[in-house]
Amino acid sequence: MLRLNEIIGLIVADLHILALITGLLYLLAAVCAVREILNSRTSQGSIAWLLSLALLPFPTVFLYLVFGWKLFDDYARDRTQNGRADRPLRAKDLALVDREKDALWPVQVHVSELPFLKGNEIELLVDGQATFDSIFAGIDAAEEYLLVQFYIVRDDRLGQELAERLIAKAKAGVDICLLYDDIGSTGMPKRFRKELREAGIKVSSFNRRHKFLRFYGPTRINYRNHRKIVVADGKHAWVGGHNVGVEYLGEDPRLGHWRDTHVRLSGPAALGCALLFREDWEWATGERLPPRPPKELETPGEESALVMGSGPADKLEECAIAFTDLIGRARERLWIVSPYFVPDVDIRTALFAARLRGVDVRIMLPDNPDHKIVWLASMAHADAMVQHDIAVYRYTDGFLHQKVVLVDDTMATVGSVNFDNRSFAINFEITLWFPDPKTISAVEAMLLEDFKACRQVGMAEVESRPLPLYVATQAARLLSPVL
């Protein structure tokens, strides 16, 4: 056993190594600090990083590389090369552009860089069975190509059924691309991908070209592709909250019934979903997919729709801008449904202002958690809503996962965006915007049924939180920027 003086001697002997390591840590901390100053989006978040980097470079430097170092210039470059900036110009030449809706919703149009397009047929798909019945029918009917993208693809019964149907279509000559997120689909076995590739299906993870051991690779752990998109022949698209796993069919015994919403969109706006997929695919693989619009642009319905993609490659937090504007325009009702409710200061302020205007603000959240820390942070924010006279409802018939917003009789949204900082600023997301009465009425009817399965949170419940639970919720709330 070494004596104390021997230990001190070893430390002194290696003091130059310790000094070098410490110096490198502070140098890296300085680089991170400069990077944060130059790319800051919110002062409070940046100040927290800067103080931590200065006072505790280890382990803050490594945490910053994972959670703070945003580098998506390559994605933005690919998007520009794909002609994203020209899309509104090309679309304006189409007779299907709904210029009236564009004029009514200029913020959403600018954020999307796409116009509202007319001539769509919209179908709400309530829960997993209806969603995957519709998606699988669309896959079976595809004639030319399929673009399939999910955050989570599991190798379970549902994942195997998806794979079997895709393999069958590939053997029939349909071109197929499957894109999944590395973090969401962590458990996907190589065998699953191999079977698909052997059938001629192109398969890629979102981080395929950006490996973990590259210098900026660890940031990809934090920035995830949360989109759920299926496009068939450029004519039909499916977007919403469902991933590929049997829990989304309500077969998880712990969570029980899984309440979620998807949308089947048929018509010109489906091409917007295909464009987002192409951008993601090129960034992930380096391969440019041809646009392949339908030979005849069909108009199966009469509704307008806007496809909005958002993510960390945006110059501003454009998703948050679009939803803040939406909240600010509410005059009669604002119903928000989200499994995770961790809003930033701007969203909270907009919600409080809406309630002071006399708007019927309702927030529907799950009663039971699937991610404990996020659920605790969400409880802290929800309790603050109740304290400001905003109605909070807890869904009690299983787990609530849908992402839906309804404003007055003017707009409904369905997509992958949660009401948290991760969806607004960190993840790649997709939202469909519907301004026409038919879909708005369908969303209203759907949510009214959901409210029947909810209990409202009152002030008595908020004030009676046990002290340990209250401390836990407030501690989790401090992690809001990265949840």
Side-chain angles (χ1 to χ4, degrees):
M1 211 170 165
L2 292 175
R3 296 178 181 177
L4 180 59
N5 59 343
E6 293 175 335
I7 295 175
I8 294 173
L10 290 173
I11 294 174
V12 171
D14 294 330
L15 195 59
H16 64 289
I17 298 176
L18 292 175
L20 177 62
I21 293 173
T22 302
L24 289 174
L25 272 175
Y26 273 99
L27 177 62
L28 188 53
V31 171
C32 292
V34 171
R35 173 80 184 180
E36 180 61 26
I37 291 170
L38 295 176
N39 295 275
S40 173
R41 284 185 170 183
T42 62
S43 58
Q44 61 268 34
S46 294
I47 289 172
W49 278 121
L50 294 174
L51 286 174
S52 298
L53 287 167
L55 300 176
L56 197 65
F58 178 83
T60 305
V61 162
F62 302 104
L63 292 173
Y64 185 84
L65 289 175
V66 173
F67 295 108
W69 190 290
K70 186 179 80 69
L71 184 60
F72 279 95
D73 294 341
D74 46 357
Y75 187 98
R77 182 180 62 251
D78 291 345
R79 187 169 62 186
T80 301
Q81 291 173 351
N82 261 326
R84 180 169 182 175
D86 297 331
R87 290 190 321 217
L89 300 177
R90 291 199 299 266
K92 285 179 181 177
D93 297 329
L94 296 174
L96 293 171
V97 172
D98 192 334
R99 290 180 173 81
E100 179 183 353
K101 298 300 191 302
D102 282 0
L104 287 173
W105 300 94
V107 173
Q108 287 68 29
V109 171
H110 279 88
V111 168
S112 302
E113 296 185 357
L114 279 171
F116 282 91
L117 293 177
K118 298 181 288 187
N120 301 287
E121 180 184 65
I122 311 299
E123 180 187 4
L124 282 182
L125 301 170
V126 177
D127 290 345
Q129 195 62 55
T131 294
F132 286 101
D133 284 349
S134 181
I135 290 174
F136 289 160
I139 289 173
D140 293 345
E143 298 177 349
E144 296 184 23
Y145 69 90
L146 287 163
L147 309 176
V148 182
Q149 177 177 4
F150 287 97
Y151 175 63
I152 297 172
V153 179
R154 301 201 191 284
D155 182 28
D156 57 14
R157 181 179 63 80
L158 186 62
Q160 283 296 326
E161 183 174 358
L162 173 66
E164 290 169 4
R165 290 176 183 269
L166 293 178
I167 289 171
K169 295 306 294 185
K171 290 181 178 179
V174 175
D175 293 333
I176 302 175
C177 295
L178 172 64
L179 183 65
Y180 62 92
D181 185 80
D182 306 69
I183 303 302
S185 303
T186 300
M188 181 188 291
K190 291 183 179 179
R191 170 192 50 77
F192 186 90
R193 300 190 294 272
K194 181 180 178 182
E195 290 175 356
L196 293 170
R197 289 181 176 131
E198 287 178 348
I201 297 170
K202 296 179 180 179
V203 182
S204 177
S205 67
F206 186 60
N207 293 335
R208 177 174 166 181
R209 288 197 299 159
H210 308 273
K211 300 299 184 182
F212 180 84
L213 292 179
R214 295 185 182 182
F215 174 70
Y216 59 86
T219 66
R220 312 303 180 182
I221 296 175
N222 193 36
Y223 298 96
R224 307 166 193 171
N225 197 312
H226 195 238
R227 293 170 182 158
K228 296 92 174 169
I229 301 172
V230 177
V231 180
D233 299 333
K235 300 177 181 179
H236 311 281
W238 290 261
V239 171
H242 287 94
N243 287 295
V244 181
V246 295
E247 67 268 35
Y248 291 85
L249 299 175
E251 297 181 13
D252 185 321
R254 182 177 67 88
L255 295 171
H257 171 228
W258 189 282
R259 176 67 191 91
D260 218 329
T261 299
H262 236 69
V263 169
R264 180 184 63 82
L265 186 158
S266 298
L271 290 172
C273 300
L275 284 167
L276 288 181
F277 182 95
R278 287 170 51 215
E279 290 175 355
D280 287 349
W281 183 265
E282 180 173 352
W283 187 83
T285 67
E287 176 191 7
R288 295 191 67 177
L289 297 177
R292 299 182 68 174
K295 296 176 182 177
E296 295 184 8
L297 202 56
E298 299 177 0
T299 55
E302 299 179 350
E303 295 189 73
S304 292
L306 176 73
V307 179
M308 177 185 292
S310 57
D314 299 336
K315 292 181 180 179
L316 302 173
E317 292 182 358
E318 295 179 350
C319 183
I321 291 172
F323 279 95
T324 302
D325 176 74
L326 181 66
I327 294 169
R329 296 180 62 162
R331 291 297 177 268
E332 296 178 2
R333 68 176 172 189
L334 171 62
W335 297 354
I336 297 171
V337 188
S338 176
Y340 315 116
F341 182 72
V342 191
D344 63 12
V345 174
D346 293 337
I347 293 292
R348 291 199 305 271
T349 301
L351 290 172
F352 296 155
R355 185 67 194 98
L356 291 174
R357 290 195 303 272
V359 177
D360 172 22
V361 182
R362 305 184 192 182
I363 301 170
M364 189 188 304
L365 306 171
D367 196 35
N368 297 317
D370 65 335
H371 300 295
K372 195 72 173 181
I373 295 178
V374 181
W375 184 76
L376 289 169
S378 179
M379 180 180 291
H381 287 285
D383 285 354
M385 295 294 118
V386 175
Q387 291 167 346
H388 284 79
D389 197 30
I390 290 175
V392 173
Y393 293 82
R394 293 284 183 180
Y395 188 80
T396 59
D397 185 21
F399 182 69
L400 181 78
H401 192 255
Q402 62 176 323
K403 304 95 166 45
V404 177
V405 179
L406 180 63
V407 172
D408 300 336
D409 291 322
T410 57
M411 184 63 72
T413 74
V414 180
S416 65
V417 173
N418 299 308
F419 254 70
D420 59 14
N421 186 64
R422 174 163 292 281
S423 279
F424 284 161
I426 299 176
N427 286 345
F428 291 87
E429 305 281 4
I430 181 172
T431 306
L432 301 182
W433 298 70
F434 304 114
D436 290 323
K438 184 177 179 181
T439 298
I440 289 172
S441 296
V443 170
E444 177 186 34
M446 176 184 73
L447 296 185
L448 286 173
E449 286 299 311
D450 290 334
F451 279 121
K452 294 178 182 178
C454 293
R455 63 176 184 84
Q456 186 172 356
V457 179
M459 275 300 300
E461 179 179 341
V462 172
E463 292 174 348
S464 63
R465 302 278 187 216
L467 181 59
L469 177 60
Y470 176 77
V471 172
T473 60
Q474 297 306 308
R477 182 178 59 85
L478 298 177
L479 300 174
S480 295
V482 296
L483 292 178

